[in-house]
Amino acid sequence: MTLEERSSPILKAFEKAVAWARMNSVWAVHYNSGSCNGCDIELLTTITPRYDVERIGIKLAGSPRHADVLVCTGPVTGQGKDALLRTYEQMPAPKFVVAIGTCALSGGVFEGSYNTYDGIDGLVPVDVYIPGCPPRPEAIINGFAQLLEKVENYA
Amino acid sequence: MPEDAKNTEETTEELVEETVALIPQVEAAREVLEPLSTSTTASGTKLLYVAVSLDQLNEATEAIVGSGLGYLISITPVDLGVEENQFEVLYHFGVGPGVVTIRITIPRDEPVIPSVCEQVPSATYYERELMEMFGIDVTDTPNRTRLYLPDQWPQGIYPMRKDYVPRSERQLPESKKDKV
Amino acid sequence: MAEISSDNGRKFTIPIGPQHPALKEPGHFEFVVDGEVIQEASVKLGYAHRGIEKIVEDRNYTQAMYILERVCGICSHVHASALAMGAEQLAGVEAPPRARAIRTLVYELERIHSHLLWLGVAAHEAGFEALFMYSWRDRETIMDILEEISGSRVHYSVNAIGGVRIDISAESAQNILKAVDFLEERSKHYLNVVSSDRVFLQRSRGIGVMSPEEGNRWGVVGPVARASGIKRDVRVDAPYAAYDIFPVTMITASEGDLEARFTVRVRELLESTRLVREVVKNLPEGELTTKVKRKIPPAETVVRIEAPRGELMYYMKSNGTDQPERIHGRTPTIPNMASVLHLTIGHQLADAPMILAGIDPCFSCNDRAVVLKSQSHSDLWSWDQLRQYGIDRYHGRT
Ligand code: SF4
């Protein structure tokens, strides 16, 4: 494809439409890389009636192949590392990563253990960091809102 | 400090043995284990530690589980350190309101124990943990694969031993290196 | 057409996990199936192995308590209080009565939260989304209470070595009573649902039956054991904290199938609401902590606690310093997991998730603010702002 073609108005309009669609239905896949569950139950809480992230178009998908966003919790254990990388690789581009919880950010209280990798950002690129041990559901949704902004501006 | 501590420990032990009677279920277990044990210590009325020699282990387990007195809660290995050169393996049995612990001691350089899976099938999980974390060899255990450690973990390195240096065996990603 | 028959000796291995669409925790299962029927089952754990037992060996007791709290985000209080009680036993002191009652109160609140959570997850496995949503909505009531009394929704950090860190004010007591009244109503409703909904019963009645003999052989604990008629509950057998003052009625069933596991847990919800009410109304007066020396003389002890999933045991050994020599835990999922894998054999593959969820497996067994660089949002959202955001977004889309 030449440069001219790529900047053709039709293609641009098409890309805009795709971005709009993507931003309105973000599907996320959840991977637990060895967290204590605290973050996972708070993440699940966000899809239940009180918080309900589906109102901003976010839905948990079952398979990484259907997902736009990888939501990852936990400090990444030795055994969980390969599965994390595999999950990430299986996702279709463009892909985004959200790290939830202090563990996923830096290893948290488990930093320095023999079986953890001190957070996921050494292994996969992270777009949004949500700190907290565990972050409140409000905080998680706020993090998702930031992500949506990023998705919207993604070209 | 260590001198002091030793003294207090001894005195409390004596006190316990003289004054407090064990609760009936634990007392019953003590009687059953009496002929097999090399020494017993009680702590309070509910906790009993019974030292047993290695070849009596299966018999002692059978004595508690087979008679329906109690059930195996867990197996705890303890590394007594390089100087002592010994491992302790503790078998905790829930006996009514109390806990009876069978204690065996094995040399650190030749850690081999028999399996108790014959008597308690669910012990396989604890024995697998023992093997991978401490490198204690459990003969005749039905399953020898790893339970907790990652597949790529090197053979012959046992993280729960006291002389293990954390992270000596594994590369961290570049960006995290400075933290170690 | 190629003939597919179940007796041609071809078996398939179906791996499930560790990235699991339904369970929130990582575990890797392998089922060997012949047609639809499971022949063999095995599990690989360790996806959540963080080496906690090693970490606590070079922390002091207080730090170790906070780390053990993070063993599990669902039953954080039982782990932290196990360490606190163990340290107290090693040091030869006892927490004051009010502290023990508050610990008991939080145990029961936690049990309510955990059982409701489980009810939702298990219903989700059965494809019963409505029950999932309802039970999690009701669970928010208890989360609000836990947040009100401790300041956090998940890691309450209620314990201190020698007592507790929080007190129950008269106002919170009122709120707790109100919340448990509501939950009692709801639990009655759930009991009705799990024991009478026909579709649901088809997934649970007579599935995964475990006889008491089998249960004893595998050493199962907690609601799974009680659903098989095994009378085993640490709160009754060996009362700790304040369970001697506030006795528990043990709840058992004899069927040993999935339905029994559902009803036992839901009836435990009712029992817990009763206990909470009793503790709140009869909270003893007095101190919240006793003083414990920082250095703990050499000794060893065993602590047993009835976690929401069953018996939790910690072995602790001190060495005269302010750091523990060895801490070893045994969580209830291990014996239950061993037994349940055997139960799946001979069942349809489709039943496996339900049976697994039936034991409530827990493989792993507070910071509030989000500060991210952004021009358009404030740093922390309240629930109302959040709601507004959702509405704006909805209207804003064209
Ligand atoms: S950040 Fe805290 S709550 Fe989240 S997984 Fe880690 S320890 Fe658990």
Side-chain angles (χ1 to χ4, degrees):
Chain A
M1 200 185 289
T2 63
L3 203 64
E4 257 164 57
E5 273 170 346
R6 200 180 287 168
S7 54
S8 83
I10 302 174
L11 210 66
K12 265 202 180 144
F14 180 67
E15 267 176 9
K16 235 178 134 188
V18 171
W20 171 84
R22 185 185 297 131
M23 128 111 185
N24 277 303
S25 68
V26 175
W27 283 23
V29 61
H30 167 211
Y31 180 69
N32 173 337
S33 70
S35 85
C36 78
N37 288 341
C39 287
D40 309 82
I41 56 174
E42 291 296 71
L43 174 67
L44 267 192
T45 308
T46 60
I47 65 166
T48 56
R50 161 95 68 100
Y51 296 99
D52 192 17
V53 280
E54 276 185 37
R55 73 175 121 189
I56 54 174
I58 292 174
K59 182 175 180 297
L60 283 188
S63 158
R65 295 187 201 280
H66 301 158
D68 308 299
V69 182
L70 173 66
V71 180
C72 188
T73 59
V76 190
T77 57
Q79 183 76 352
K81 183 189 112 196
D82 290 343
L84 168 69
L85 294 177
R86 215 175 318 129
T87 310
Y88 182 73
E89 276 155 18
Q90 282 175 355
M91 288 166 55
K95 40 194 164 189
F96 303 88
V97 179
V98 178
I100 294 187
T102 314
C103 281
L105 268 53
S106 67
V109 291
F110 309 115
E111 189 193 329
S113 162
Y114 59 82
N115 202 27
T116 65
Y117 284 83
D118 291 352
I120 66 171
D121 58 358
L123 300 164
V124 293
V126 176
D127 294 282
V128 177
Y129 295 85
I130 307 179
C133 182
R136 293 180 56 80
E138 284 96 330
I140 295 180
I141 298 179
N142 189 350
F144 279 142
Q146 318 259 336
L147 176 80
L148 289 181
E149 235 167 70
K150 204 162 174 176
V151 174
E152 197 172 15
N153 299 330
Y154 181 90
Chain B
M1 181 63 209
E3 275 301 325
D4 258 313
K6 261 215 177 106
N7 283 337
T8 48
E9 195 191 19
E10 270 163 24
T11 45
T12 46
E13 256 171 36
E14 271 168 24
L15 267 179
V16 167
E17 267 168 31
E18 275 168 23
T19 51
V20 192
L22 291 168
I23 53 167
Q25 291 97 325
V26 176
E27 179 61 32
R30 194 188 65 80
E31 268 163 30
V32 172
L33 291 174
E34 185 94 79
L36 303 167
S37 67
T38 50
S39 79
T40 41
T41 24
S43 134
T45 58
K46 288 181 185 166
L47 300 183
L48 183 75
Y49 299 89
V50 183
V52 163
S53 73
L54 195 57
D55 37 339
Q56 306 273 28
L57 172 68
N58 293 69
E59 237 173 286
T61 312
E62 181 60 34
I64 294 192
V65 179
S67 62
L69 265 174
Y71 60 99
L72 181 71
I73 304 180
S74 181
I75 304 177
T76 306
V78 183
D79 186 353
L80 295 184
V82 185
E83 294 105 72
E84 291 262 341
N85 202 21
Q86 272 179 334
F87 285 132
E88 257 178 9
V89 186
L90 309 171
Y91 294 73
H92 307 283
F93 294 90
V95 177
V99 177
V100 174
T101 302
I102 293 180
R103 184 198 306 270
I104 57 171
T105 321
I106 48 174
R108 210 166 181 276
D109 28 31
E110 209 204 321
V112 185
I113 58 168
S115 165
V116 294
C117 287
E118 245 345 57
Q119 290 85 25
V120 190
S122 57
T124 159
Y125 284 75
Y126 314 126
E127 287 177 352
R128 282 163 76 181
E129 183 182 341
L130 225 95
M131 288 189 283
E132 63 181 349
M133 296 293 176
F134 283 83
I136 297 177
D137 189 18
V138 187
T139 48
D140 318 319
T141 184
N143 189 341
R144 307 185 72 88
T145 49
R146 280 182 177 161
L147 184 61
Y148 295 116
L149 286 180
D151 299 333
Q152 69 270 22
W153 188 269
Q155 290 291 334
I157 293 184
Y158 306 109
M160 284 304 293
R161 289 194 179 189
K162 288 277 181 206
D163 52 358
Y164 165 75
V165 186
R167 296 201 161 170
S168 49
E169 79 309 311
R170 187 169 53 60
Q171 297 283 305
L172 274 182
E174 255 340 286
S175 60
K176 302 275 179 181
K177 276 238 169 89
D178 48 326
K179 285 209 283 187
V180 184
Chain C
M1 203 180 93
E3 206 182 328
I4 302 169
S5 82
S6 59
D7 53 16
N8 63 359
R10 273 179 59 205
K11 292 179 181 166
F12 291 95
T13 305
I14 301 196
I16 300 182
Q19 193 278 321
H20 194 289
L23 285 177
K24 18 181 214 332
E25 294 152 274
H28 177 81
F29 299 95
E30 266 179 23
F31 294 105
V32 177
V33 292
D34 184 354
E36 273 289 297
V37 181
I38 298 173
Q39 305 277 322
E40 275 168 52
S42 64
V43 62
K44 167 83 182 129
L45 301 172
Y47 290 93
H49 175 74
R50 287 150 287 170
I52 290 180
E53 287 180 12
K54 190 77 184 180
I55 302 178
V56 293
E57 280 179 15
D58 53 46
R59 301 286 197 277
N60 68 31
Y61 285 94
T62 314
Q63 290 169 326
M65 189 175 72
Y66 286 101
I67 291 181
L68 281 196
E69 185 158 46
R70 279 153 182 80
V71 166
C72 177
I74 302 175
C75 43
S76 57
H77 177 58
V78 294
H79 291 275
S81 70
L83 188 121
M85 288 204 290
E88 286 156 19
Q89 276 171 28
L90 291 173
V93 298
E94 201 170 57
R98 189 173 175 89
R100 278 185 284 149
I102 291 177
R103 274 183 194 165
T104 310
L105 175 71
V106 182
Y107 284 134
E108 292 308 318
L109 290 173
E110 186 174 73
R111 196 178 314 278
I112 297 175
H113 129 69
S114 173
H115 280 4
L116 279 173
L117 178 143
W118 167 82
L119 182 67
V121 173
H124 174 73
E125 298 290 344
F128 196 169
E129 290 300 310
L131 183 57
F132 171 44
M133 290 296 170
Y134 274 124
S135 63
W136 277 60
R137 187 198 66 186
D138 295 339
R139 182 176 152 271
E140 285 298 317
T141 331
I142 214 81
M143 300 309 272
D144 287 345
I145 292 295
L146 285 166
E147 182 172 14
E148 178 180 338
I149 62 177
S150 74
S152 166
R153 288 164 52 95
V154 171
H155 295 304
Y156 331 115
S157 304
V158 165
N159 292 280
I161 290 178
V164 291
R165 197 179 56 84
I166 58 151
D167 201 358
I168 307 287
S169 67
E171 196 196 334
S172 319
Q174 282 313 314
N175 289 342
I176 294 175
L177 290 178
K178 234 188 279 162
V180 292
D181 283 344
F182 169 71
L183 285 168
E184 188 168 22
E185 277 311 302
R186 296 299 301 170
S187 305
K188 283 183 184 150
H189 172 65
Y190 293 138
L191 188 59
N192 190 16
V193 170
V194 298
S195 53
S196 68
D197 186 286
R198 290 227 338 253
V199 178
F200 196 61
L201 283 182
Q202 282 188 348
R203 296 296 311 268
S204 64
R205 185 168 283 175
I207 306 278
V209 182
M210 174 159 45
S211 67
E213 294 76 42
E214 261 178 302
N216 263 327
R217 220 166 79 86
W218 288 101
V220 293
V221 291
V224 181
R226 294 195 284 276
S228 290
I230 302 170
K231 291 197 165 42
R232 192 174 285 168
D233 187 333
V234 185
R235 294 176 293 167
V236 180
D237 297 339
Y240 52 94
Y243 284 114
D244 45 351
I245 315 172
F246 306 103
V248 184
T249 326
M250 199 187 301
I251 290 178
T252 54
S254 54
E255 294 84 3
D257 59 355
L258 266 176
E259 187 199 354
R261 283 169 218 153
F262 273 94
T263 47
V264 162
R265 284 206 180 82
V266 178
R267 279 163 56 209
E268 281 188 7
L269 276 176
L270 291 171
E271 174 67 11
S272 293
T273 51
R274 182 191 69 77
L275 263 176
V276 166
R277 209 174 282 135
E278 206 162 293
V279 177
V280 168
K281 283 185 182 150
N282 304 305
L283 214 52
E285 291 300 322
E287 290 289 309
L288 288 179
T289 48
T290 36
K291 193 142 173 47
V292 180
K293 286 219 184 73
R294 212 165 48 85
K295 291 189 172 164
I296 295 184
E300 55 188 342
T301 191
V302 175
V303 191
R304 289 160 85 198
I305 287 183
E306 184 74 17
R309 285 161 186 71
E311 176 179 350
L312 172 77
M313 186 218 78
Y314 271 99
Y315 166 83
M316 287 175 59
K317 186 173 181 186
S318 54
N319 56 5
T321 64
D322 60 352
Q323 294 180 347
E325 169 84 8
R326 172 91 168 102
I327 293 182
H328 177 251
R330 197 296 307 263
T331 55
T333 299
I334 300 175
N336 286 354
M337 182 62 84
S339 68
V340 83
L341 283 177
H342 278 253
L343 292 185
T344 57
I345 293 171
H347 277 288
Q348 303 267 315
L349 185 63
D351 284 330
M354 272 288 270
I355 297 177
L356 285 176
I359 64 161
D360 196 359
C362 178
F363 300 124
S364 50
C365 241
N366 307 345
D367 196 315
R368 338 280 303 278
V370 187
V371 185
L372 288 173
K373 290 243 158 51
S374 164
Q375 294 84 34
S376 55
H377 301 303
S378 73
D379 285 335
L380 182 65
W381 279 7
S382 70
W383 194 73
D384 290 321
Q385 272 172 304
L386 189 71
R387 216 176 135 254
Q388 197 51 46
Y389 175 80
I391 294 169
D392 290 350
R393 219 188 114 75
Y394 186 75
H395 287 311
R397 66 191 219 184
T398 38

